[in-house]
Amino acid sequence: AAGSPAGSAARPSGHSCGSPEISWTLPDTSHVSKEDLTSQVGDVLLYYCYCEVRDPEKLCAWQKALCQHLHLTGKVRVASEGINGTVGGSKVATSLYIKVMLSQPLFKNILCQEDFKSSAGGAHCFPDLRVGVFKEIVPMGIDPKIVSYKETGIHLSPQEFHREVEQYLSQATQGQSDTILLDCRNFYESKIGNFQGCLAPDIRKFSYFPSYIDENLELFKDKRVLMYCTGGIRCERGSAYLRSKAVCREVYQLKGGIHKYLEEFPDGFYRGKLFVFDDRYAICSNEDIISACRYCGVLWDQYKLCSSQHCRQLVLTCPSCCNKGLTACCPVCQEKELKVTSRASGQILKEECECTRRRPRVPIERVSPRMLDTGK
């Protein structure tokens, strides 16, 4: 249906009233035992906050000190446009982290408790702690001054998004939908889990997303677009970029991403696993397996890193195929792995394999009338 869905959907106006001073406060941990602070049983937090940061270097230094103080690991990106983090630690440590973040004057009245997406994990989910200053808090490759988070799409709560997807699937079955359900993630993420009936671009990096939009602009003309990603941050810039093209009737996005949707609809329209950027690779909310082993085709959705040392691709290879030595992402890498021991030590090998050679950097969609149906 045309127009805005009912509910609390709104487009944020952005925060432009000046950046407050950054507090250097670290939490008091004298009442907490070291065991509680460093326990392996804990959580992984995913969050972001768009706001104006006058001194990114200072925020970065405080953030690094805070994470080290709480024995947290993970990745935090700081920029003049805000902060984006995924950190792991004990339940006590992550709870203290949220409390301090919410009390930071810089984030006051912007960041709230529900902005933190939590899943079972801990410090062991990341190899180390990496905190740095970047131009963007999510790497889309477009200057934030050109495409700003302040021009984002209309945010839909999980309940509103659920109703929209339900209506979209119903109309698509009858071949009369005016909506596109767009997955803003990378192909290896959507491969193991996605919303039914979605359009999932076959792109490897989010920095390819703007080019994907440019090359397929006709596809979005006069359409209502429902966008989603893992935690919501890619939709903030992605929706702003799509809106800047002025071809869509309207652009909506899932607030809090798949994370928040699954909290309320674990058995809803999202099927399969949710890919995460840490050593877990995926978290589960339902029993569906929608992907297959790269070698034998049996249902399988647990990623491993390609066994060829020069390659950074992920591969779906089941235990049976692993036992047969099929542990690389493609035959080219499998062959290179066998040869690598005979090469001179320290030789740098490029990431070249059949996977990257076959996949176009930015695919051009050939949309048939049934491509955007219920997608079962």
Side-chain angles (χ1 to χ4, degrees):
S4 298
S8 60
R11 180 176 291 120
S13 58
H15 307 279
S16 56
C17 53
S19 172
E21 193 60 37
I22 296 167
S23 167
W24 275 96
T25 304
L26 295 179
D28 177 16
T29 56
S30 60
H31 63 290
V32 181
S33 70
K34 188 175 180 182
E35 289 72 24
D36 284 343
L37 207 56
T38 59
S39 171
Q40 288 289 299
V41 179
D43 294 312
V44 170
L45 301 177
L46 176 67
Y47 74 94
Y48 66 89
C49 180
Y50 277 105
C51 60
E52 293 186 3
V53 182
R54 283 201 305 259
D55 193 343
E57 294 287 351
K58 185 175 180 181
L59 178 59
C60 178
W62 171 74
Q63 186 64 210
K64 186 174 182 179
L66 173 62
C67 290
Q68 289 174 337
H69 183 66
L70 295 174
H71 300 273
L72 300 177
T73 60
K75 303 172 186 176
V76 181
R77 293 175 67 97
V78 175
S80 59
E81 64 173 358
I83 186 170
N84 172 23
T86 174
V87 295
S90 71
K91 289 186 178 295
V92 170
T94 52
S95 178
L96 282 169
Y97 181 81
I98 293 174
K99 186 177 180 180
V100 174
M101 289 293 287
L102 294 177
S103 66
Q104 171 62 254
L106 185 63
F107 308 133
K108 194 159 183 69
N109 300 322
I110 307 173
L111 194 62
C112 60
Q113 182 81 35
E114 68 176 20
D115 290 325
F116 290 87
K117 279 74 73 172
S118 176
S119 56
H124 61 277
C125 294
F126 301 92
D128 51 26
L129 173 66
R130 298 180 185 180
V131 185
V133 175
F134 300 84
K135 192 163 190 174
E136 305 170 275
I137 59 172
V138 62
M140 190 171 77
I142 303 290
D143 193 322
K145 294 177 182 176
I146 297 174
V147 176
S148 169
Y149 67 88
K150 297 175 185 178
E151 302 301 324
T152 188
I154 293 173
H155 291 71
L156 299 180
S157 69
Q159 297 94 334
E160 291 165 341
F161 195 83
H162 184 79
R163 287 196 297 269
E164 282 290 309
V165 174
E166 186 173 40
Q167 186 175 21
Y168 158 69
L169 291 174
S170 174
Q171 291 177 339
T173 302
Q174 301 166 37
Q176 57 184 25
S177 179
D178 60 354
T179 300
I180 291 177
L181 179 56
L182 180 62
D183 193 322
C184 292
R185 301 172 301 159
N186 305 320
F187 77 89
Y188 52 85
E189 298 174 78
S190 58
K191 191 173 187 175
I192 63 170
N194 57 55
F195 276 95
Q196 298 171 49
C198 73
L199 171 62
D202 190 20
I203 55 175
R204 188 179 172 192
K205 297 179 180 179
F206 184 56
S207 57
Y208 298 170
F209 183 79
S211 296
Y212 174 83
I213 295 297
D214 294 346
E215 294 293 334
N216 294 281
L217 207 54
E218 194 64 27
L219 177 65
F220 300 98
K221 191 174 182 181
D222 299 324
K223 294 287 187 180
R224 298 173 71 251
V225 179
L226 300 172
M227 300 176 70
Y228 69 89
C229 61
T230 305
I233 189 169
R234 281 178 279 188
C235 283
E236 300 283 11
R237 293 292 304 290
S239 66
Y241 187 82
L242 183 54
R243 289 189 68 241
S244 74
K245 299 299 173 179
V247 297
C248 302
R249 279 171 45 206
E250 192 53 271
V251 180
Y252 303 99
Q253 64 192 77
L254 173 57
K255 185 178 180 182
I258 303 163
H259 254 289
K260 286 296 182 183
Y261 178 86
L262 291 178
E263 286 180 10
E264 299 195 38
F265 301 98
D267 205 34
F269 295 118
Y270 186 91
R271 309 309 303 172
K273 287 188 169 63
L274 173 59
F275 185 93
V276 290
F277 290 90
D278 58 59
D279 290 349
R280 298 171 299 172
Y281 288 131
I283 53 181
C284 178
S285 72
N286 57 66
E287 298 302 314
D288 283 9
I289 299 177
I290 69 167
S291 52
C293 172
R294 187 250 186 271
Y295 290 97
C296 71
V298 69
L299 288 175
W300 189 251
D301 62 6
Q302 296 180 35
Y303 275 120
K304 290 183 181 296
L305 198 60
C306 174
S307 55
S308 184
Q309 292 178 21
H310 66 287
C311 187
R312 300 299 300 169
Q313 295 274 2
L314 293 170
V315 58
L316 292 170
T317 176
C318 70
S320 176
C321 290
C322 277
N323 290 336
K324 295 175 185 175
L326 300 172
T327 53
C329 65
C330 66
V332 172
C333 276
Q334 194 74 45
E335 186 179 344
K336 284 186 177 181
E337 185 193 2
L338 297 174
K339 293 178 179 178
V340 76
T341 52
S342 63
R343 293 182 180 272
S345 62
Q347 182 175 354
I348 298 173
L349 295 171
K350 292 182 180 179
E351 183 185 326
E352 294 175 346
C353 66
E354 192 175 281
C355 303
T356 52
R357 197 162 56 226
R358 282 185 168 184
R359 180 178 298 105
R361 184 178 182 273
V362 178
I364 309 298
E365 301 292 358
R366 309 295 182 198
V367 184
S368 66
R370 288 192 56 78
M371 181 178 174
L372 300 175
D373 67 5
T374 51
K376 292 182 181 178

